[in-house]
Amino acid sequence: MTPNGPRDRLSAHPLAMPPLATSSPDAPRRSPGHDEPGATDPRAAHDGRRLSDGKHADAAERTGSAGRTGSAGRRDSLDVFDVSWSVDGTLIVDGVSLSAKAGTLTGLLGPNGSGKSSLLRSIAGMTRPERGVVSLGGEDLLGMRRRERARRVAVVEQETHTDVPLRVLDVVLLGRTPHKATEHDDELARSALDTVGMQRFADRDWHTLSGGERQRVHLARALAQEPELLLLDEPTNHLDVHFQLSLLGNVRELGVTSLAALHDLNLAASYCDHVVVLDRGRVAAAGAPEDVLVPEVIRRVFAVDCDVHTNPRTGRPVLMFFP
């Protein structure tokens, strides 16, 4: 891409980096000091990570900017403490505390209107929470400058629209916007497209893609960003079963700390290392899928009965629902 290409023209485009928070950065925050029932302890230290996909790691190493996920010993756990956000006096997110261990996939579950998307936007700094602390690797995420936050956090939203004519490759290259341009940006973008099975669409017009194809390109754009934290809002929307499994499998193997809002409880049970269940803006349960996705919690939060079986191939829970 040349300096006058889409990367420069769209450096503030919503596909490229999280927008600024909508309220004052001096909004009051509550210091950590108490535990929320059912939530994990955000003060716990987490170690360990999985290696990133080899193609991404090799390309990143050549640029000299392998990203925080490639830094040896980097602690990039996500810790959220007592975050609240309201609209017109109604609490949408109510004192949520959670932790996502470094390099793992955490599922954010709950009925419609439980606050999943609002919490993700608060964590990303797209909306400023009224109170609470969000830290990444022990650093105040919401206190960072926008560009620094965009280098470290990638967001895949449910729907993102643009009227600007773009090739698929241009959309993925927008993930490089927060970083200094290098001669390897095209290689990183094409590698990301290959990871999500969209490399042959690189020169296609973005607007000609189906909803599922666009969702896969959004993930590629996030991968090209080389984030330390990946936030996904219903990433399997519009995808057929093959690409639902493929996408979550890719995310799980990235070695990037990931928090994904999901509606499908069986997908969460199959792919997530940890799950957090929200109900009316509060944490109703949190822990390993086999400990949380049990009939008592499902009945209380989702108002349905279920039987839980064990997948004979994976040993993971499989839920069967009844009205």
Coordinates of all heavy atoms in Angstrom, one line a residue, residues 249-283:
G249 N -12.2 -22.4 16.4 CA -10.9 -23.2 16.5 C -9.7 -22.3 16.2 O -8.7 -22.4 16.9
N250 N -9.9 -21.4 15.2 CA -8.8 -20.5 14.9 C -8.5 -19.6 16.1 O -7.3 -19.4 16.5 CB -9.1 -19.6 13.7 CG -9.0 -20.4 12.4 OD1 -8.2 -21.4 12.3 ND2 -9.7 -20.0 11.4
V251 N -9.5 -19.0 16.6 CA -9.4 -18.1 17.8 C -8.7 -18.8 18.9 O -7.8 -18.3 19.6 CB -10.7 -17.5 18.2 CG1 -10.6 -16.7 19.5 CG2 -11.3 -16.6 17.1
R252 N -9.2 -20.0 19.2 CA -8.6 -20.8 20.4 C -7.1 -21.0 20.2 O -6.4 -21.0 21.2 CB -9.4 -22.1 20.5 CG -9.0 -22.9 21.7 CD -9.8 -24.2 21.8 NE -9.3 -25.1 22.7 CZ -9.4 -25.1 24.0 NH1 -10.1 -24.1 24.6 NH2 -8.8 -26.0 24.8
E253 N -6.7 -21.3 19.0 CA -5.3 -21.6 18.7 C -4.4 -20.4 18.5 O -3.2 -20.6 18.4 CB -5.2 -22.6 17.5 CG -5.9 -23.9 17.7 CD -5.3 -24.7 18.9 OE1 -4.1 -24.6 19.1 OE2 -6.1 -25.3 19.6
L254 N -4.9 -19.2 18.6 CA -4.1 -18.1 18.3 C -3.1 -17.8 19.4 O -2.0 -17.2 19.1 CB -4.9 -16.8 18.1 CG -5.7 -16.7 16.8 CD1 -6.7 -15.5 16.8 CD2 -4.8 -16.6 15.6
G255 N -3.4 -18.1 20.6 CA -2.5 -17.8 21.7 C -2.7 -16.3 22.1 O -1.9 -15.8 22.9
V256 N -3.8 -15.7 21.7 CA -4.2 -14.3 22.1 C -5.3 -14.4 23.1 O -6.2 -15.1 23.0 CB -4.6 -13.5 20.9 CG1 -5.1 -12.1 21.3 CG2 -3.5 -13.4 19.8
T257 N -5.1 -13.6 24.2 CA -6.2 -13.5 25.2 C -7.5 -13.0 24.5 O -7.5 -12.0 23.8 CB -5.8 -12.5 26.3 OG1 -4.6 -12.8 26.8 CG2 -6.9 -12.5 27.4
S258 N -8.5 -13.8 24.5 CA -9.8 -13.6 23.8 C -11.0 -13.7 24.7 O -11.1 -14.6 25.5 CB -9.9 -14.6 22.6 OG -8.8 -14.5 21.8
L259 N -11.9 -12.7 24.5 CA -13.2 -12.7 25.2 C -14.3 -12.6 24.1 O -14.3 -11.6 23.3 CB -13.3 -11.5 26.1 CG -14.6 -11.3 26.9 CD1 -14.8 -12.5 27.8 CD2 -14.5 -10.0 27.7
A260 N -15.1 -13.6 24.0 CA -16.1 -13.7 22.9 C -17.5 -13.8 23.5 O -17.8 -14.7 24.3 CB -15.8 -14.8 22.0
A261 N -18.4 -12.9 23.1 CA -19.8 -13.0 23.4 C -20.4 -14.0 22.5 O -20.3 -13.9 21.3 CB -20.5 -11.6 23.2
L262 N -21.1 -15.0 23.0 CA -21.7 -16.1 22.3 C -23.1 -16.4 22.7 O -23.4 -16.4 23.9 CB -20.8 -17.4 22.4 CG -19.4 -17.3 21.9 CD1 -18.6 -18.5 22.4 CD2 -19.3 -17.3 20.4
H263 N -23.9 -16.7 21.7 CA -25.3 -17.2 22.1 C -25.4 -18.7 22.2 O -26.2 -19.2 23.0 CB -26.3 -16.7 21.0 CG -26.9 -15.4 21.4 ND1 -27.6 -15.2 22.5 CD2 -27.0 -14.2 20.7 CE1 -28.1 -13.9 22.6 NE2 -27.7 -13.3 21.4
D264 N -24.6 -19.4 21.4 CA -24.7 -20.9 21.3 C -23.9 -21.5 22.5 O -22.7 -21.4 22.5 CB -24.1 -21.3 20.0 CG -24.4 -22.8 19.7 OD1 -24.3 -23.6 20.6 OD2 -24.7 -23.2 18.6
L265 N -24.6 -22.0 23.4 CA -24.0 -22.5 24.6 C -23.1 -23.8 24.3 O -22.1 -24.0 25.0 CB -25.0 -22.9 25.7 CG -25.9 -21.7 26.2 CD1 -26.8 -22.1 27.3 CD2 -25.1 -20.5 26.6
N266 N -23.5 -24.5 23.3 CA -22.8 -25.7 23.0 C -21.4 -25.4 22.3 O -20.4 -26.0 22.5 CB -23.6 -26.7 22.1 CG -24.5 -27.6 22.9 OD1 -24.1 -28.2 23.9 ND2 -25.8 -27.6 22.5
L267 N -21.4 -24.3 21.5 CA -20.1 -23.8 21.0 C -19.2 -23.4 22.1 O -18.0 -23.6 22.1 CB -20.4 -22.7 20.0 CG -20.9 -23.1 18.6 CD1 -21.2 -21.8 17.7 CD2 -19.9 -24.0 17.9
A268 N -19.8 -22.6 23.0 CA -19.0 -22.2 24.2 C -18.5 -23.4 25.0 O -17.3 -23.4 25.4 CB -19.9 -21.3 25.1
A269 N -19.3 -24.4 25.2 CA -18.8 -25.6 25.9 C -17.7 -26.3 25.2 O -16.8 -26.9 25.8 CB -20.0 -26.5 26.1
S270 N -17.8 -26.3 23.8 CA -16.8 -27.0 23.0 C -15.5 -26.3 22.9 O -14.4 -26.9 22.8 CB -17.4 -27.2 21.6 OG -18.5 -28.1 21.6
Y271 N -15.5 -24.9 22.9 CA -14.2 -24.2 22.5 C -13.7 -23.3 23.6 O -12.5 -23.0 23.6 CB -14.5 -23.4 21.3 CG -14.6 -24.2 20.0 CD1 -15.8 -24.6 19.5 CD2 -13.4 -24.6 19.4 CE1 -15.9 -25.4 18.4 CE2 -13.5 -25.4 18.2 CZ -14.7 -25.8 17.8 OH -14.8 -26.6 16.7
C272 N -14.5 -22.9 24.6 CA -14.0 -22.0 25.6 C -13.2 -22.6 26.7 O -13.6 -23.7 27.2 CB -15.2 -21.2 26.2 SG -15.9 -20.1 25.0
D273 N -12.2 -22.0 27.2 CA -11.4 -22.5 28.4 C -12.1 -22.1 29.6 O -12.0 -22.7 30.7 CB -10.0 -21.8 28.4 CG -9.2 -22.2 27.1 OD1 -8.9 -23.3 27.0 OD2 -9.0 -21.3 26.3
H274 N -12.9 -21.0 29.6 CA -13.6 -20.4 30.7 C -14.8 -19.7 30.2 O -14.9 -19.2 29.1 CB -12.6 -19.4 31.4 CG -13.1 -18.7 32.6 ND1 -12.9 -19.3 33.9 CD2 -13.7 -17.6 32.9 CE1 -13.4 -18.5 34.8 NE2 -13.9 -17.5 34.2
V275 N -15.9 -19.7 31.0 CA -17.1 -19.0 30.6 C -17.6 -18.1 31.7 O -17.4 -18.4 32.9 CB -18.2 -19.9 30.2 CG1 -17.9 -20.7 28.9 CG2 -18.6 -20.9 31.3
V276 N -18.2 -17.0 31.4 CA -18.8 -16.0 32.3 C -20.3 -15.9 31.8 O -20.5 -15.5 30.7 CB -18.1 -14.7 32.3 CG1 -18.8 -13.7 33.3 CG2 -16.6 -14.9 32.7
V277 N -21.2 -16.1 32.7 CA -22.6 -16.0 32.4 C -23.2 -14.7 33.0 O -23.0 -14.5 34.2 CB -23.4 -17.2 32.9 CG1 -24.9 -17.0 32.6 CG2 -22.9 -18.5 32.3
L278 N -23.7 -13.8 32.1 CA -24.4 -12.6 32.6 C -25.9 -12.8 32.7 O -26.5 -13.5 31.8 CB -24.0 -11.4 31.7 CG -22.6 -11.0 31.6 CD1 -22.5 -9.8 30.7 CD2 -22.0 -10.7 32.9
D279 N -26.5 -12.1 33.6 CA -28.0 -12.1 33.7 C -28.3 -10.7 34.3 O -27.9 -10.3 35.4 CB -28.4 -13.2 34.7 CG -29.9 -13.3 34.7 OD1 -30.6 -12.9 33.8 OD2 -30.5 -13.9 35.7
R280 N -29.1 -10.0 33.4 CA -29.5 -8.6 33.8 C -28.3 -7.7 34.2 O -28.4 -7.0 35.2 CB -30.6 -8.7 34.9 CG -31.8 -9.5 34.5 CD -32.8 -9.6 35.7 NE -33.9 -10.5 35.3 CZ -34.9 -10.8 36.1 NH1 -34.9 -10.3 37.3 NH2 -35.9 -11.6 35.7
G281 N -27.3 -7.9 33.5 CA -26.1 -7.0 33.7 C -25.2 -7.4 34.8 O -24.1 -6.8 35.0
R282 N -25.4 -8.5 35.4 CA -24.6 -9.0 36.5 C -24.0 -10.4 36.2 O -24.6 -11.1 35.4 CB -25.3 -9.1 37.8 CG -25.9 -7.7 38.3 CD -26.6 -7.9 39.7 NE -27.0 -6.6 40.2 CZ -27.6 -6.4 41.4 NH1 -27.8 -7.5 42.2 NH2 -27.9 -5.2 41.8
V283 N -22.9 -10.7 36.9 CA -22.3 -12.0 36.7 C -23.1 -13.0 37.5 O -23.3 -12.9 38.7 CB -20.8 -12.1 37.2 CG1 -20.3 -13.5 37.1 CG2 -20.0 -11.1 36.3

